[in-house]
């Protein structure tokens, strides 16, 4: 839409700790509307300053009747924009505006059948009445006993007489269920009604519009003569950053690829070929494996590993910047999930792990960061990459962590242990590609475990390493489920690793989802 700033058409999500908060953001972004997540503790002035055209209150694990329940000021609802409360958000709206919340006689977890009582506004396009029930996903132990003044019930279930409510005058709407999850089949329709019929937003958040905005912002930040280094790993994120920044400022960008000794098999050669021959972007390759391994010697704690690796990267970039002369900026592929997971909130999830692109940086450094993907989820980065003309072999690549194999060797990182994992990892990727399943999987990895197990080879007892294989499905890395790989494929992977990788006598397959597990083991 010409003349519409993609950041003017936006929604704010206040997070009260729900495991689904990031899914709300994803569903909104899928409708080509920009949104951000902020903790429920953020000051009211910050919310005003954000300038959202609609505000969503997320779910959460608390009860509004708890003494330490997270809350907001009732002044929030005087901002004059539409609100949508989801689950705990609905209960909090009720509690703050004079309604009554009580313990449900029967808790609702999982599927429930919702009867629509009013098909205006939030349920526009739905059929009303018991004969036209729609399936929704519930997750609550409290329920609304009485709605606040001026609110009317607009939907119910057998267990929740007020499963949705609205105040058309105040433009405040609330639902007891979770429209953002796939288990609510028509949840997207409900969110669309909130975004477009109630908030009157424009769907302008597209890859093309984002590229135009990002290029303008990069030029404004760097200036007409500023030089930029790009921390290039060869993965999706840094590759998209490199091409985006190069399009903005041309050869004032220099990419630096650090061979930190923690790379996958053949990675260094692949990156040099792609970026020198295909993109023709100035590229410096640093052979720094010995320095990284020396600093990681004896270190087992994963957070310490990430910080050491992050600090060493920055040290090397600053040295290269001085060699090039007058380089003041460092571009890197920080994404929105990196920012969310690296910041501890009262409302949202606590810090899970420090991401290399965020928390692994030293407090003081000589280079100013340029992070043009900081507002994007992973699948949005892929869309931007395709719009930029980056080939699918890069934009379709599985995520690979900044610290590389350093956090897939569980425990101390040594050259010997890296060699074992590197060969096992190559076999896993070869077999998955040969099976035709690579493009259907979000992320694939092999992990070297910090244990040895007893085995038998050639009628002799062995006591050697164990490798864990992990493959997951995900939309953006915030949640994930393990992939049901065919037994025959797992059998080939196991046989090849045990037969071809010296020092391994056992292979296991990780069947944990996220949550509770993270995708990476460290």
């Amino acid at each position: 839409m010409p003349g519409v700033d993609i950041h003017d058409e936006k929604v704010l999500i206040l997070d009260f700790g729900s495991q689904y908060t990031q899914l709300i953001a994803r569903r909104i972004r899928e409708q080509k509307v920009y949104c951000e997540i902020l903790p429920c503790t953020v000051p009211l002035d910050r919310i005003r300053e954000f300038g959202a055209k609609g505000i969503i209150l997320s779910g959460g694990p608390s009860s509004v009747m708890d003494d330490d329940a997270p809350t907001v000021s009732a002044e929030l609802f005087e901002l004059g924009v539409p609100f949508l409360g989801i689950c705990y958000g609905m209960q909090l709206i009720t509690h703050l505006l004079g309604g009554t919340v009580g313990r449900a006689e029967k808790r609702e977890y999982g599927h429930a059948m919702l009867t629509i009582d009013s098909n205006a506004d939030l349920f526009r396009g739905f059929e009303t009445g018991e004969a036209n029930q729609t399936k929704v996903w519930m997750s609550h132990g409290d329920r609304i006993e009485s709605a606040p003044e001026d609110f009317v019930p607009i939907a119910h279930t057998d267990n929740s007489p007020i499963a949705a409510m609205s105040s058309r005058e105040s433009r405040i709407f609330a639902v007891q269920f979770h429209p953002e999850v796939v288990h609510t089949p028509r949840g997207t329709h409900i969110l669309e009604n909130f975004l477009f019929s109630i908030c009157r937003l424009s769907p302008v958040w597209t890859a093309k519009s984002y590229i135009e905005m990002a290029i303008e912002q990069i030029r404004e930040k760097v200036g007409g003569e500023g030089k930029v280094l790009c921390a290039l790993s060869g993965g999706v994120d840094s590759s998209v950053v490199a091409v985006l920044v190069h399009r903005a400022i041309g050869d004032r960008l220099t990419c630096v690829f650090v061979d930190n000794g923690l790379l996958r098999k053949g990675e260094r050669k692949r990156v040099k070929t792609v970026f020198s021959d295909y993109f023709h972007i100035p590229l410096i390759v640093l052979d720094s494996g010995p320095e990284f391994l020396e600093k990681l010697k004896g270190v087992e704690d994963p957070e310490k590993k990430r910080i050491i690796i992050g600090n060493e990267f920055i040290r090397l970039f600053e040295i290269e910047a001085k060699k090039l002369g007058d380089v003041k900026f460092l571009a890197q592929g920080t994404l929105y999930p990196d920012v969310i997971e690296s910041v501890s909130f009262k409302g949202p999830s606590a810090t899970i792990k420090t991401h290399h692109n965020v928390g692994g940086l030293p407090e003081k450094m000589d280079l100013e960061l340029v992070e043009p993907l900081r507002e994007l989820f992973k699948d949005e980065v892929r869309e931007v990459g395709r719009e930029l003309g980056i080939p699918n072999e890069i934009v379709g690549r599985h995520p690979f962590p900044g610290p590389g194999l350093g956090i897939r060797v569980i425990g101390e990182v040594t050259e010997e242990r890296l060699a074992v994992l590197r060969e096992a990892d190559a076999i896993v990727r070869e077999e998955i590609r040969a099976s035709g399943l690579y493009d259907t999987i979000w992320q694939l990895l092999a992990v070297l475990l910090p244990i040895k197990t007893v085995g038998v080879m050639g009628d002799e007892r062995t006591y050697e390493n164990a490798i864990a294989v992990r493959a997951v499905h995900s939309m953006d890395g915030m949640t994930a489920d393990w992939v049901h790989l065919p037994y025959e494929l797992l059998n080939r992977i196991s046989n090849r690793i045990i037969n071809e990788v010296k020092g391994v006598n056992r292979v296991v397959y990780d069947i944990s989802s996220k949550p509770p597990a993270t995708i990476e083991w460290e």
Side-chain angles (χ1 to χ4, degrees):
M1 244 179 230
V4 177
D5 188 324
I6 61 177
H7 277 136
D8 285 343
E9 301 293 308
K10 60 188 175 184
V11 168
L12 174 62
I13 302 168
L14 291 179
D15 186 6
F16 292 86
S18 171
Q19 62 178 312
Y20 301 134
T21 300
Q22 289 80 20
L23 280 178
I24 303 172
R26 284 301 310 117
R27 297 295 173 258
I28 293 171
R29 297 277 188 96
E30 286 167 4
Q31 303 310 312
K32 296 182 171 55
V33 173
Y34 180 69
C35 69
E36 284 189 26
I37 300 168
L38 290 178
C40 59
T41 52
V42 70
L44 189 58
D45 286 346
R46 173 71 181 91
I47 297 173
R48 287 195 186 97
E49 178 188 312
F50 184 81
K53 290 191 174 180
I55 296 176
I56 296 176
L57 309 187
S58 83
S62 302
S63 167
V64 295
M65 293 175 281
D66 294 341
D67 291 338
D68 60 347
T71 189
V72 292
S73 168
E75 292 180 61
L76 177 71
F77 303 106
E78 298 173 8
L79 292 178
V81 300
F83 284 84
L84 174 62
I86 296 176
C87 197
Y88 179 84
M90 176 181 186
Q91 295 159 14
L92 185 61
I93 289 170
T94 303
H95 180 70
L96 291 173
L97 299 184
T100 306
V101 179
R103 300 290 186 189
E105 293 178 8
K106 180 183 177 183
R107 296 182 301 173
E108 280 187 305
Y109 292 97
H111 282 122
M113 297 308 297
L114 183 77
T115 300
I116 308 298
D117 299 314
S118 170
N119 60 359
D121 303 318
L122 207 57
F123 295 117
R124 183 181 179 184
F126 285 71
E127 297 294 327
T128 59
E130 301 288 341
N132 300 296
Q133 291 181 323
T134 185
K135 189 183 292 185
V136 296
W137 185 259
M138 293 285 195
S139 181
H140 66 101
D142 294 346
R143 73 176 190 179
I144 309 305
E145 300 290 353
S146 64
E149 188 177 351
D150 296 329
F151 280 76
V152 295
I154 56 175
H156 69 273
T157 67
D158 289 343
N159 193 49
S160 295
I162 308 176
M165 64 182 189
S166 72
S167 170
R168 297 191 74 181
E169 184 177 344
S170 302
R171 294 194 297 168
I172 301 175
F173 302 83
V175 295
Q176 186 59 77
F177 55 90
H178 289 274
E180 69 273 22
V181 302
V182 294
H183 308 294
T184 300
R186 299 191 69 183
T188 298
H189 188 168
I190 294 167
L191 291 174
E192 285 176 347
N193 282 339
F194 178 70
L195 296 173
F196 303 123
S197 297
I198 296 170
C199 297
R200 303 291 182 182
L201 286 152
S202 300
V204 293
W205 181 255
T206 65
K208 184 177 180 180
S209 64
Y210 188 82
I211 290 168
E212 292 171 356
M213 180 202 69
I215 287 174
E216 185 178 325
Q217 289 180 339
I218 291 166
R219 288 171 177 166
E220 183 178 345
K221 182 167 187 173
V222 173
E225 297 182 1
K227 296 179 182 178
V228 180
L229 280 185
C230 177
L232 181 66
S233 71
V236 180
D237 309 332
S238 65
S239 298
V240 172
V241 166
V243 176
L244 190 57
V245 175
H246 191 253
R247 183 167 293 189
I249 63 170
D251 287 350
R252 285 187 285 135
L253 166 72
T254 300
C255 289
V256 178
F257 176 75
V258 178
D259 184 348
N260 57 8
L262 308 172
L263 303 176
R264 287 174 156 179
K265 188 175 182 179
E267 191 76 357
R268 177 171 171 169
K269 181 179 179 182
R270 188 189 70 83
V271 170
K272 285 183 68 176
T273 300
V274 170
F275 282 86
S276 294
D277 298 348
Y278 186 89
F279 291 120
H280 307 293
I281 297 175
L283 176 66
I284 296 171
V285 177
L286 301 180
D287 188 0
S288 304
E291 293 98 315
F292 277 85
L293 290 177
E294 180 62 30
K295 290 182 182 297
L296 290 168
K297 192 173 182 179
V299 178
E300 296 186 3
D301 180 80
E303 282 295 283
K304 288 182 180 177
K305 287 185 192 178
R306 289 175 180 274
I307 291 169
I308 288 169
I309 293 168
N311 284 340
E312 185 63 10
F313 268 120
I314 296 301
R315 187 184 72 82
L316 292 171
F317 293 140
E318 289 179 342
I319 290 172
E320 291 305 310
K322 289 175 182 175
K323 288 181 182 177
L324 291 169
D326 198 30
V327 175
K328 297 179 181 178
F329 299 94
L330 172 67
Q332 63 173 12
T334 304
L335 305 190
Y336 196 43
D338 298 340
V339 178
I340 294 170
E341 285 197 351
S342 296
V343 179
S344 179
F345 293 141
K346 165 71 175 174
S349 49
T351 299
I352 298 167
K353 62 189 176 187
T354 299
H355 278 265
H356 169 65
N357 284 346
V358 183
L361 300 178
E363 289 185 13
K364 293 183 179 180
M365 59 183 192
D366 295 335
L367 298 172
E368 186 177 346
L369 288 178
V370 175
E371 298 173 306
L373 308 181
R374 192 178 176 89
E375 298 172 335
L376 301 184
F377 286 95
K378 191 76 171 190
D379 54 322
E380 293 175 312
V381 175
R382 296 189 198 280
E383 289 179 25
V384 167
R386 292 187 183 99
E387 184 70 28
L388 287 167
I390 299 175
N392 193 60
E393 68 172 281
I394 295 177
V395 295
R397 191 171 185 247
H398 291 176
F400 187 64
L405 298 182
I407 57 167
R408 292 182 180 175
V409 170
I410 310 301
E412 184 180 6
V413 180
T414 66
E415 187 59 64
E416 295 73 23
R417 300 190 75 210
L418 283 166
V420 170
L421 178 58
R422 195 171 281 120
E423 293 301 320
D425 171 81
I427 289 171
V428 172
R429 288 184 292 128
E430 284 173 16
E431 288 295 334
I432 295 292
R433 284 192 180 278
S435 73
L437 294 176
Y438 185 88
D439 290 334
T440 70
I441 295 171
W442 165 266
Q443 193 163 349
L444 174 73
L445 57 142
V447 179
L448 179 63
L449 303 183
I451 58 172
K452 290 191 174 184
T453 70
V454 174
V456 178
M457 288 184 178
D459 296 326
E460 293 184 1
R461 176 187 184 276
T462 62
Y463 188 57
E464 294 181 333
N465 294 291
I467 291 285
V469 177
R470 182 153 170 75
V472 298
H473 291 307
S474 181
M475 280 293 292
D476 48 45
M478 300 306 299
T479 61
D481 197 9
W482 62 280
V483 178
H484 293 239
L485 292 177
Y487 291 145
E488 295 81 4
L489 176 57
L490 289 171
N491 185 53
R492 287 199 303 273
I493 289 171
S494 177
N495 283 343
R496 281 197 62 192
I497 291 174
I498 291 171
N499 289 329
E500 298 176 29
V501 182
K502 188 175 181 180
V504 176
N505 68 358
R506 190 178 301 270
V507 175
V508 299
Y509 188 56
D510 183 347
I511 58 171
S512 310
S513 63
K514 176 186 179 180
T518 54
I519 295 176
E520 297 285 348
W521 279 47
E522 286 192 344

